[in-house]
Coordinates of all heavy atoms in Angstrom, one line a residue:
M1 N -23.8 -10.7 30.5 CA -24.3 -10.5 29.1 C -24.9 -9.1 29.0 O -25.5 -8.5 29.9 CB -25.5 -11.5 29.0 CG -26.3 -11.4 27.7 SD -27.5 -12.5 27.3 CE -28.4 -12.8 28.7
Q2 N -24.6 -8.6 27.9 CA -25.1 -7.2 27.5 C -26.3 -7.3 26.6 O -26.2 -8.1 25.6 CB -24.1 -6.4 26.9 CG -24.5 -5.0 26.5 CD -23.4 -4.2 25.8 OE1 -22.4 -4.7 25.4 NE2 -23.6 -2.9 25.6
V3 N -27.4 -6.7 27.0 CA -28.6 -6.7 26.1 C -28.7 -5.4 25.4 O -28.8 -4.3 26.2 CB -29.9 -7.1 26.9 CG1 -31.1 -7.1 26.0 CG2 -29.6 -8.5 27.5
V4 N -28.7 -5.3 24.2 CA -29.0 -4.0 23.4 C -30.3 -4.1 22.6 O -30.7 -5.3 22.3 CB -27.8 -3.8 22.4 CG1 -26.6 -3.5 23.3 CG2 -27.6 -4.8 21.4
G5 N -31.0 -3.1 22.3 CA -32.1 -3.1 21.6 C -32.6 -1.8 20.9 O -31.8 -0.8 21.1
Y6 N -33.6 -1.8 20.2 CA -34.2 -0.8 19.5 C -35.6 -0.9 19.6 O -36.3 -1.9 19.5 CB -33.7 -0.7 18.0 CG -34.4 0.3 17.1 CD1 -34.2 1.6 17.3 CD2 -35.5 0.0 16.4 CE1 -34.8 2.6 16.6 CE2 -36.2 0.9 15.7 CZ -35.8 2.2 15.7 OH -36.5 3.2 15.0
N7 N -36.3 0.3 20.0 CA -37.8 0.4 20.2 C -38.2 1.5 19.2 O -37.7 2.6 19.5 CB -38.2 0.5 21.5 CG -39.6 0.4 21.9 OD1 -40.3 0.3 20.9 ND2 -39.9 0.1 23.0
R8 N -39.1 1.2 18.2 CA -39.7 2.2 17.4 C -40.4 3.4 18.2 O -40.4 4.5 17.8 CB -40.5 1.7 16.3 CG -39.8 0.9 15.3 CD -40.8 0.3 14.2 NE -41.9 -0.3 14.7 CZ -43.1 -0.4 14.0 NH1 -43.1 0.1 12.8 NH2 -44.1 -1.0 14.7
S9 N -41.0 3.0 19.3 CA -41.7 4.0 20.1 C -40.7 4.6 21.0 O -39.5 4.1 21.1 CB -42.8 3.3 20.8 OG -42.3 2.6 22.1
S10 N -41.1 5.7 21.7 CA -40.2 6.3 22.5 C -40.0 5.6 24.0 O -39.3 6.1 24.8 CB -40.6 7.8 22.8 OG -41.9 7.8 23.3
K11 N -40.7 4.6 24.2 CA -40.7 3.9 25.4 C -39.4 3.2 25.6 O -38.8 2.5 24.7 CB -41.7 2.8 25.5 CG -43.2 3.3 25.4 CD -44.2 2.2 25.4 CE -45.7 2.7 25.2 NZ -46.6 1.7 25.1
G12 N -38.8 3.3 26.8 CA -37.5 2.7 27.2 C -37.8 1.2 27.4 O -39.0 0.8 27.9
L13 N -36.9 0.4 27.3 CA -36.9 -1.0 27.7 C -36.1 -1.3 28.8 O -34.9 -0.9 28.8 CB -36.4 -1.9 26.5 CG -37.1 -1.7 25.1 CD1 -36.4 -2.5 24.0 CD2 -38.6 -2.3 25.3
Q14 N -36.7 -1.8 29.9 CA -36.0 -2.0 31.1 C -34.9 -3.0 30.9 O -34.9 -4.1 30.2 CB -36.9 -2.5 32.2 CG -36.5 -2.3 33.5 CD -37.6 -2.7 34.5 OE1 -38.4 -3.6 34.2 NE2 -37.7 -1.9 35.6
A15 N -33.6 -2.7 31.5 CA -32.4 -3.5 31.4 C -31.9 -3.7 30.0 O -31.2 -4.7 29.7 CB -32.6 -4.9 32.1
V16 N -32.2 -2.9 29.1 CA -31.8 -3.0 27.9 C -31.0 -1.6 27.4 O -31.6 -0.5 27.6 CB -32.9 -3.1 26.8 CG1 -32.4 -3.1 25.3 CG2 -33.5 -4.5 27.1
Q17 N -29.8 -1.6 26.8 CA -29.1 -0.5 26.4 C -29.7 -0.1 25.0 O -29.7 -0.9 24.0 CB -27.6 -0.8 26.2 CG -27.0 0.3 25.7 CD -25.4 0.0 25.2 OE1 -24.9 -1.1 25.7 NE2 -24.8 0.9 24.5
Q18 N -30.4 1.0 25.0 CA -31.1 1.4 23.8 C -30.1 1.9 22.8 O -29.2 2.7 23.0 CB -32.1 2.6 24.1 CG -33.2 2.2 24.8 CD -34.3 1.5 24.0 OE1 -34.5 0.3 24.2 NE2 -34.9 2.2 23.0
L19 N -30.2 1.5 21.5 CA -29.4 2.0 20.3 C -30.2 2.8 19.4 O -31.4 2.6 19.5 CB -28.7 0.8 19.7 CG -27.8 0.0 20.5 CD1 -27.1 -1.1 19.7 CD2 -26.7 0.9 21.2
A20 N -29.5 3.7 18.6 CA -30.3 4.5 17.8 C -31.2 4.0 16.7 O -32.2 4.5 16.4 CB -29.3 5.7 17.3
T21 N -30.6 2.9 16.1 CA -31.3 2.3 15.0 C -31.3 0.9 14.9 O -30.5 0.3 15.6 CB -30.7 2.9 13.6 OG1 -29.4 2.2 13.5 CG2 -30.6 4.3 13.5
I22 N -32.1 0.3 14.1 CA -32.0 -1.2 14.0 C -30.7 -1.6 13.4 O -30.1 -2.6 13.9 CB -33.1 -1.7 13.1 CG1 -34.5 -1.6 13.8 CG2 -32.9 -3.2 12.7 CD1 -35.7 -1.8 12.9
D23 N -30.1 -0.9 12.5 CA -28.9 -1.2 12.0 C -27.7 -1.2 13.0 O -26.8 -2.0 12.9 CB -28.5 -0.2 10.8 CG -29.3 -0.4 9.6 OD1 -30.0 -1.4 9.6 OD2 -29.2 0.4 8.8
D24 N -27.8 -0.2 14.0 CA -26.8 -0.2 15.0 C -26.9 -1.5 15.9 O -25.8 -2.0 16.3 CB -27.0 1.0 16.0 CG -26.8 2.3 15.3 OD1 -26.1 2.4 14.3 OD2 -27.4 3.3 15.9
V25 N -28.1 -1.9 16.2 CA -28.2 -3.2 16.9 C -27.6 -4.4 16.1 O -26.9 -5.2 16.7 CB -29.8 -3.5 17.2 CG1 -29.9 -4.8 17.8 CG2 -30.3 -2.4 18.2
L26 N -28.0 -4.4 14.8 CA -27.6 -5.6 14.0 C -26.0 -5.7 14.0 O -25.6 -6.8 13.9 CB -28.2 -5.5 12.6 CG -29.7 -5.6 12.5 CD1 -30.2 -5.4 11.2 CD2 -30.2 -6.9 13.1
A27 N -25.4 -4.6 13.9 CA -23.9 -4.5 13.8 C -23.2 -5.1 15.0 O -22.1 -5.6 14.9 CB -23.5 -3.1 13.5
V28 N -23.8 -5.0 16.1 CA -23.1 -5.5 17.4 C -23.7 -6.8 18.0 O -23.1 -7.3 18.8 CB -23.1 -4.3 18.6 CG1 -22.3 -3.1 17.8 CG2 -24.5 -4.0 18.9
A29 N -24.9 -7.2 17.6 CA -25.6 -8.3 18.3 C -24.9 -9.6 17.8 O -24.6 -9.9 16.7 CB -27.0 -8.3 17.9
D30 N -24.9 -10.5 18.9 CA -24.6 -11.9 18.6 C -25.8 -12.7 18.1 O -25.7 -13.7 17.4 CB -23.9 -12.6 19.9 CG -22.6 -12.0 20.1 OD1 -21.8 -11.7 19.1 OD2 -22.4 -11.8 21.3
F31 N -27.0 -12.3 18.7 CA -28.3 -12.8 18.3 C -29.4 -11.9 18.4 O -29.4 -11.0 19.2 CB -28.5 -14.1 19.4 CG -29.6 -14.9 18.9 CD1 -29.2 -16.1 18.1 CD2 -31.0 -14.7 19.1 CE1 -30.1 -16.9 17.5 CE2 -31.9 -15.6 18.6 CZ -31.6 -16.7 17.7
V32 N -30.2 -12.0 17.3 CA -31.2 -11.0 17.2 C -32.6 -11.6 17.2 O -32.8 -12.6 16.6 CB -31.2 -10.2 15.8 CG1 -32.3 -9.3 15.5 CG2 -29.7 -9.5 15.6
V33 N -33.5 -11.1 17.9 CA -34.8 -11.6 18.2 C -35.8 -10.4 17.8 O -35.7 -9.3 18.4 CB -35.2 -12.1 19.6 CG1 -36.6 -12.6 19.6 CG2 -34.2 -13.1 20.0
L34 N -36.6 -10.6 16.8 CA -37.5 -9.6 16.4 C -38.9 -10.0 16.9 O -39.4 -11.1 16.6 CB -37.7 -9.6 14.7 CG -36.4 -9.1 14.1 CD1 -36.6 -9.3 12.6 CD2 -36.1 -7.8 14.5
L35 N -39.5 -9.2 17.7 CA -40.8 -9.6 18.3 C -41.7 -8.4 17.8 O -41.8 -7.3 18.4 CB -40.7 -9.5 19.8 CG -39.8 -10.5 20.5 CD1 -39.6 -10.3 21.8 CD2 -40.3 -11.9 20.1
L36 N -42.4 -8.7 16.8 CA -43.3 -7.6 16.1 C -44.6 -8.1 15.7 O -44.7 -9.3 15.4 CB -42.5 -7.2 14.8 CG -41.1 -6.6 14.9 CD1 -40.4 -6.7 13.5 CD2 -41.1 -5.4 15.5
P37 N -45.6 -7.2 15.6 CA -46.9 -7.4 15.1 C -46.5 -7.5 13.5 O -45.9 -6.7 13.0 CB -47.8 -6.4 15.4 CG -46.8 -5.2 15.6 CD -45.6 -5.8 16.2
L38 N -47.2 -8.5 12.8 CA -47.0 -8.4 11.3 C -48.0 -7.4 10.7 O -49.2 -7.6 10.6 CB -47.3 -9.8 10.7 CG -47.1 -10.0 9.2 CD1 -45.8 -9.5 8.8 CD2 -47.4 -11.4 8.8
T39 N -47.5 -6.3 10.3 CA -48.3 -5.2 9.7 C -47.5 -4.8 8.4 O -46.4 -5.1 8.1 CB -48.4 -4.0 10.6 OG1 -47.1 -3.5 10.8 CG2 -49.0 -4.5 12.0
E40 N -48.1 -3.9 7.7 CA -47.5 -3.4 6.5 C -46.3 -2.7 6.8 O -45.3 -2.6 6.0 CB -48.6 -2.5 5.7 CG -49.6 -3.3 5.0 CD -49.1 -4.4 4.1 OE1 -48.1 -4.2 3.2 OE2 -49.7 -5.5 4.2
S41 N -46.2 -2.0 8.0 CA -45.0 -1.2 8.4 C -43.8 -2.0 8.9 O -42.8 -1.6 8.9 CB -45.4 0.0 9.4 OG -45.8 -0.7 10.6
T42 N -44.2 -3.3 9.3 CA -43.1 -4.1 9.7 C -42.7 -5.3 8.7 O -41.7 -5.9 8.9 CB -43.5 -4.8 11.1 OG1 -44.6 -5.6 10.9 CG2 -43.7 -3.9 12.2
R43 N -43.5 -5.5 7.8 CA -43.2 -6.5 6.7 C -42.0 -6.1 6.1 O -41.8 -4.9 5.6 CB -44.4 -6.5 5.7 CG -44.1 -7.7 4.7 CD -45.2 -7.7 3.6 NE -46.4 -8.0 4.3 CZ -47.1 -9.2 4.6 NH1 -46.3 -10.2 4.4 NH2 -48.2 -9.4 5.0
G44 N -41.0 -6.9 5.9 CA -39.7 -6.6 5.3 C -38.7 -5.7 6.1 O -37.8 -5.1 5.5
I45 N -39.0 -5.6 7.3 CA -38.2 -4.7 8.1 C -36.7 -5.1 8.3 O -35.8 -4.3 8.3 CB -38.8 -4.5 9.7 CG1 -38.3 -3.3 10.3 CG2 -38.5 -5.7 10.5 CD1 -39.0 -2.9 11.5
I46 N -36.5 -6.5 8.1 CA -35.1 -7.0 8.0 C -35.0 -7.5 6.6 O -35.8 -8.5 6.3 CB -34.9 -8.0 9.0 CG1 -35.1 -7.3 10.4 CG2 -33.5 -8.6 8.8 CD1 -34.1 -6.4 10.8
A47 N -34.1 -7.1 5.7 CA -33.9 -7.5 4.4 C -32.4 -7.9 4.3 O -31.7 -7.9 5.2 CB -34.4 -6.5 3.5
A48 N -32.2 -8.3 3.1 CA -30.7 -8.6 2.7 C -29.7 -7.6 3.2 O -28.7 -7.9 3.7 CB -30.6 -8.8 1.2
K49 N -30.0 -6.3 3.0 CA -29.0 -5.2 3.5 C -28.7 -5.4 5.0 O -27.6 -5.3 5.4 CB -29.6 -3.9 3.1 CG -28.7 -2.7 3.7 CD -29.4 -1.4 3.7 CE -28.7 -0.4 4.5 NZ -29.6 0.5 5.1
Q50 N -29.8 -5.6 5.7 CA -29.6 -5.8 7.2 C -28.8 -7.0 7.6 O -28.0 -7.0 8.4 CB -31.0 -5.6 7.9 CG -31.6 -4.3 8.0 CD -32.1 -3.9 6.6 OE1 -32.6 -4.6 5.9 NE2 -32.2 -2.5 6.4
F51 N -29.2 -8.1 6.9 CA -28.5 -9.4 7.3 C -26.9 -9.2 6.9 O -26.1 -9.8 7.7 CB -28.9 -10.5 6.4 CG -30.2 -11.1 7.1 CD1 -31.4 -11.0 6.4 CD2 -30.1 -11.8 8.3 CE1 -32.6 -11.5 7.0 CE2 -31.3 -12.3 8.9 CZ -32.5 -12.2 8.3
Q52 N -26.5 -8.4 5.9 CA -25.1 -8.2 5.7 C -24.5 -7.3 6.7 O -23.3 -7.4 6.9 CB -25.0 -7.4 4.3 CG -25.4 -8.3 3.2 CD -25.5 -7.6 1.8 OE1 -25.4 -6.4 1.7 NE2 -25.6 -8.4 0.8
L53 N -25.2 -6.5 7.5 CA -24.7 -5.8 8.6 C -24.3 -6.6 9.9 O -23.4 -6.2 10.6 CB -25.6 -4.7 9.0 CG -26.0 -3.6 8.1 CD1 -27.2 -2.7 8.6 CD2 -24.8 -2.7 7.8
M54 N -24.9 -7.8 9.8 CA -24.8 -8.7 11.1 C -23.3 -9.4 11.0 O -22.7 -9.5 9.9 CB -25.9 -9.8 11.1 CG -27.2 -9.1 11.4 SD -28.6 -10.2 11.2 CE -28.3 -11.2 12.6
K55 N -22.9 -9.7 12.2 CA -21.7 -10.4 12.3 C -21.9 -11.9 11.7 O -23.0 -12.3 11.5 CB -21.4 -10.8 13.8 CG -21.1 -9.6 14.6 CD -20.9 -10.0 16.1 CE -20.8 -8.9 17.0 NZ -20.6 -9.4 18.4
K56 N -20.8 -12.5 11.1 CA -20.7 -13.7 10.3 C -21.4 -14.7 11.1 O -22.2 -15.6 10.5 CB -19.4 -14.0 9.9 CG -18.9 -13.1 8.9 CD -19.1 -13.4 7.5 CE -18.3 -12.5 6.5 NZ -19.1 -12.0 5.4
K57 N -21.2 -14.8 12.3 CA -21.6 -16.0 13.3 C -22.8 -15.6 14.1 O -23.2 -16.4 15.0 CB -20.5 -16.6 14.1 CG -19.5 -17.1 13.2 CD -18.5 -17.9 14.0 CE -17.4 -18.6 13.2 NZ -16.5 -19.4 13.8
S58 N -23.5 -14.5 13.7 CA -24.6 -14.2 14.7 C -25.9 -15.0 14.1 O -25.9 -15.5 13.1 CB -25.0 -12.7 14.5 OG -25.2 -12.2 13.2
G59 N -26.9 -15.0 14.9 CA -28.2 -15.7 14.6 C -29.3 -14.7 14.8 O -29.3 -13.6 15.2
A60 N -30.5 -15.2 14.1 CA -31.7 -14.4 14.1 C -32.9 -15.2 14.2 O -32.9 -16.3 13.7 CB -31.7 -13.6 12.8
A61 N -34.0 -14.8 14.9 CA -35.2 -15.3 15.0 C -36.3 -14.2 14.9 O -36.2 -13.1 15.4 CB -35.4 -16.1 16.2
Q62 N -37.5 -14.6 14.2 CA -38.5 -13.6 14.0 C -39.8 -14.3 14.6 O -40.1 -15.5 14.3 CB -38.9 -13.4 12.5 CG -37.9 -12.5 11.8 CD -38.3 -12.2 10.4 OE1 -37.5 -12.0 9.6 NE2 -39.6 -12.2 10.1
L63 N -40.4 -13.6 15.4 CA -41.7 -14.0 16.0 C -42.7 -13.0 15.6 O -42.7 -11.9 16.1 CB -41.6 -14.2 17.5 CG -40.6 -15.2 17.9 CD1 -40.3 -15.0 19.4 CD2 -40.9 -16.6 17.5
W64 N -43.7 -13.4 14.8 CA -44.7 -12.4 14.4 C -46.0 -12.7 15.1 O -46.4 -13.8 15.3 CB -45.0 -12.6 12.8 CG -43.9 -12.2 11.9 CD1 -43.1 -13.2 11.3 CD2 -43.3 -11.0 11.7 NE1 -42.1 -12.6 10.6 CE2 -42.2 -11.2 10.7 CE3 -43.5 -9.7 12.0 CZ2 -41.4 -10.1 10.2 CZ3 -42.8 -8.7 11.6 CH2 -41.7 -8.9 10.7
A65 N -46.8 -11.6 15.3 CA -48.1 -11.7 15.9 C -49.2 -11.2 14.9 O -49.0 -10.2 14.3 CB -48.2 -10.9 17.2
G66 N -50.2 -12.0 14.7 CA -51.2 -11.5 13.8 C -50.8 -11.7 12.4 O -49.7 -12.3 12.1
C67 N -51.7 -11.2 11.5 CA -51.4 -11.2 10.1 C -51.7 -9.9 9.4 O -52.7 -9.2 9.9 CB -52.0 -12.4 9.5 SG -54.0 -12.3 9.6
A68 N -51.1 -9.5 8.4 CA -51.3 -8.4 7.7 C -52.5 -8.5 6.7 O -52.5 -9.5 5.9 CB -50.1 -7.8 7.0
G69 N -53.4 -7.7 6.7 CA -54.4 -7.7 5.6 C -55.6 -8.8 5.9 O -56.3 -9.0 5.1
G70 N -55.5 -9.4 7.1 CA -56.5 -10.4 7.5 C -56.4 -11.7 6.8 O -57.0 -12.5 6.4

């Protein structure tokens, strides 16, 4: 299994092939997992445009931590 990913920070992810953008990941992934804090900068990070980039039979899951604005 090949694991690809994108990290907004410059930190590398162990055992993950880093891609340049979220769109690059979405275009090749069979399944996408978003593990993000819910903040104003992450709200709406994946929208209709990004879903259209994904393969027809790919899947997605979002796991948010915390809440924006309290």
Side-chain angles (χ1 to χ4, degrees):
M1 171 174 44
Q2 179 182 12
V3 179
V4 297
Y6 171 76
N7 190 345
R8 294 184 306 155
S9 76
S10 60
K11 296 176 185 175
L13 300 173
Q14 203 170 35
V16 174
Q17 177 188 344
Q18 290 285 115
L19 298 181
T21 68
I22 292 173
D23 290 352
D24 293 339
V25 172
L26 295 174
V28 300
D30 293 320
F31 198 86
V32 175
V33 178
L34 299 172
L35 302 169
L36 304 166
L38 180 56
T39 66
E40 290 304 318
S41 67
T42 61
R43 184 183 301 275
I45 199 165
I46 302 292
K49 175 191 169 220
Q50 285 75 28
F51 281 111
Q52 290 173 351
L53 296 172
M54 295 172 69
K55 297 176 184 180
K56 296 266 186 226
K57 294 188 177 187
S58 61
Q62 282 184 211
L63 302 170
W64 298 106
C67 62

